[in-house]
Amino acid sequence: MTAAAAPTTARARPAPPADLARRAAELEAADALGDLRGRFDLPDDGSVYLVGNSLGALPRAVAPAVADAVQRQWGRSRVGAWNTEGWWTAPQRVGDRIGALLGAAPGQVVVGDCTSVQLHKVHLAAAAEARRRGGPDGGDRSGGRRVVVADPGSFPTDLYVLASDARLAGLEVVLAPPQQVPAVLAARGEEVALVALSQVDYRTGELWDLPGLTRAAHDAGALVLWDLCHSAGVVPAGLDEHDVDYAVGCSYKFLNGGPGAPAWVYVPHRLQAGFANPVPGWNSAARPFAMTGDFSPAADVAVARTGTPQVISLLALEAALTAFDGVDVSAVRARSLSLTGFALEALDALVPEVEVVTPREPDRRGSALALRHPRAWGLARALHARGVEGDFRAPDVVRWGVAPLYLTHADVLAAVVALRAVLDAGEHEAAERSERPTVT
């Protein structure tokens, strides 16, 4: 997120080198995904929006869908819209649309609440599932598996929620970066209930090995939870194919659901009957309208629901997901790699003094680039003034989130050229002294 005002583009944009401009045009012409920018309501001020990893751009379908939801559905159908307009089933209906992008068959993803709440649900449900399964020999049901392995570099919310849930459930949290998780499993695998990781590191854009780490967790008898906030919609996850146990994610980044859009949770069919939702509500009951005092859980993915869904936000998200209509996520991934690969090529040629933290290998790169510089805050501010919107992560990283549906190779080249111009003019030095917002 950023608290900054919209960028200005008052400064004349330097022309890119002819060879790189030709290369950008060639890559764009060869891209199989095609031009989907028309599906988004983008300003025509020449700005380059590289914060899709914080808040996706506005799809054109959203505004009329929200207007219809408010004016016609709510305004005219009123309470009847729960039935006539499908409000009640929206969490599963929209969940299926997201599931299609994650490699999940219908009936396994439900939308609602926020990522923090979904993490809380899964942490405690996984702990209960581990207890139900028992110890390594299947006979110890006293809670022998009480360890949760998590990445210390996870987004802070993931760690905050996990620490609280560990206190509630009497779990031990072991912190280990993903590359060290197999060693932890080899040493303590019989104690591990859950491995909780993010598919993409939010700071660096590094992509972790979801299939391999899932297999390693399962080989040790542990469950696995993947946070896909920074990969859903731009990196294939293959949740069903790789037998992932649980996944969560937000929908306002690369899924373009809008600020505060509801999160989602994946619970595969094989785990739904035993999913011990720690926040049960009337929406997760088997017969919600029976209004009984005794809770009986739903037999499908609705068991992961809690309270009344955020209907307006849900319908906005449903409309936003039409930007993916007819698009295979593998093609989105290919375009993402082309865009970030070309950005690396341009950075090497024009700005070699800026360190690229993101791995260069395609199979280790998500859809964001992290650039390290001692004056990173000043660079972010000076680029913003030139119409290039990125964000800053303390202490020294500028992040560029590359959204393949609406960015072009010419866009990423323009961003690199602007970075070169900022450094040459020393604009980042003055901008470094500007006040830093409390929200970045």
Side-chain angles (χ1 to χ4, degrees):
M1 292 179 290
T2 177
T8 62
T9 52
R11 293 186 178 90
R13 176 165 291 168
D19 58 335
L20 288 173
R22 278 195 304 274
R23 174 94 171 120
E26 290 167 357
L27 289 169
E28 197 65 35
D31 193 281
L33 187 60
D35 184 8
L36 301 180
R37 286 168 66 91
R39 298 184 180 187
F40 292 84
D41 186 4
L42 301 171
D44 57 3
D45 58 1
S47 60
V48 179
Y49 188 68
L50 294 170
V51 207
N53 56 333
S54 276
L55 179 65
L58 172 65
R60 290 191 184 277
V62 171
V66 171
D68 180 72
V70 173
Q71 296 170 359
R72 184 184 64 81
Q73 298 181 36
W74 178 14
R76 295 294 175 265
S77 296
R78 292 171 291 197
V79 72
W82 285 103
N83 297 311
T84 62
E85 303 295 343
W87 288 2
W88 182 261
T89 57
Q92 286 103 303
R93 185 177 71 244
V94 180
D96 284 345
R97 296 205 66 156
I98 293 175
L101 300 174
L102 306 176
Q108 300 179 102
V109 177
V110 66
V111 181
D113 303 310
C114 63
T115 307
S116 302
V117 172
Q118 300 292 17
L119 286 166
H120 170 65
K121 292 177 183 178
V122 173
H123 290 157
L124 296 186
E129 176 68 16
R131 288 194 300 273
R132 186 185 67 80
R133 293 183 177 188
D137 61 358
D140 175 12
R141 300 191 183 277
S142 62
R145 290 186 178 270
R146 308 196 69 81
V147 170
V148 179
V149 183
D151 182 2
S154 297
F155 191 76
T157 282
D158 296 50
L159 297 176
Y160 300 161
V161 175
L162 178 57
S164 175
D165 291 340
R167 289 191 295 270
L168 290 171
L171 303 172
E172 177 190 353
V173 177
V174 173
L175 298 178
Q179 67 268 30
Q180 294 179 15
V181 167
V184 174
L185 291 170
R188 302 188 63 180
E190 293 185 350
E191 303 172 67
V192 177
L194 179 70
V195 175
L197 300 170
S198 295
Q199 189 180 19
V200 170
D201 188 307
Y202 81 100
R203 304 157 304 170
T204 67
E206 182 163 5
L207 175 67
W208 299 110
D209 181 9
L210 181 150
L213 289 167
T214 299
R215 282 194 305 272
H218 288 172
D219 288 347
L223 297 159
V224 65
L225 160 65
W226 286 97
D227 180 334
L228 306 185
C229 284
H230 284 264
S231 57
V234 290
V235 178
L239 296 181
D240 288 351
E241 176 187 358
H242 301 302
D243 292 323
V244 169
D245 299 302
Y246 309 102
V248 301
C250 63
S251 60
Y252 47 78
K253 300 183 189 297
F254 292 118
L255 296 180
N256 311 296
W264 52 267
V265 60
Y266 164 83
V267 182
H269 291 301
R270 58 187 164 83
L271 292 176
Q272 289 173 10
F275 188 80
N277 187 343
V279 195
W282 73 299
N283 277 222
S284 54
R287 298 172 60 228
F289 293 98
M291 302 295 178
T292 62
D294 295 324
F295 178 74
S296 179
D300 58 11
V301 75
V303 69
R305 291 176 63 166
T306 296
T308 305
Q310 311 98 312
V311 171
I312 305 301
S313 294
L314 263 173
L315 299 184
L317 171 59
E318 184 173 34
L321 291 169
T322 63
F324 289 91
D325 282 356
V327 174
D328 191 293
V329 72
S330 63
V332 180
R333 173 63 173 160
R335 182 171 177 83
S336 165
L337 289 174
S338 180
L339 289 165
T340 54
F342 178 59
L344 291 171
E345 182 182 332
L347 286 163
D348 289 344
L350 300 179
V351 202
E353 68 268 39
V354 171
E355 178 189 359
V356 178
V357 180
T358 308
R360 291 173 176 271
E361 302 92 326
D363 62 349
R364 295 181 57 211
R365 192 168 73 236
S367 202
L369 296 176
L371 313 179
R372 178 171 289 147
H373 190 276
R375 296 287 185 268
W377 168 249
L379 281 182
R381 298 306 304 145
L383 284 167
H384 187 83
R386 283 182 170 269
V388 176
E389 294 187 74
D391 64 9
F392 165 79
R393 283 293 175 264
D396 57 2
V397 167
V398 174
R399 292 191 316 173
W400 285 353
V402 180
L405 295 189
Y406 51 82
L407 287 175
T408 67
H409 294 81
D411 287 332
V412 296
L413 177 56
V416 176
V417 170
L419 176 57
R420 178 73 270 165
V422 164
L423 291 167
D424 288 344
E427 295 164 12
H428 60 302
E429 297 290 350
E432 181 72 18
R433 296 188 289 273
S434 64
E435 182 179 356
R436 303 188 182 194
T438 56
V439 180
T440 59

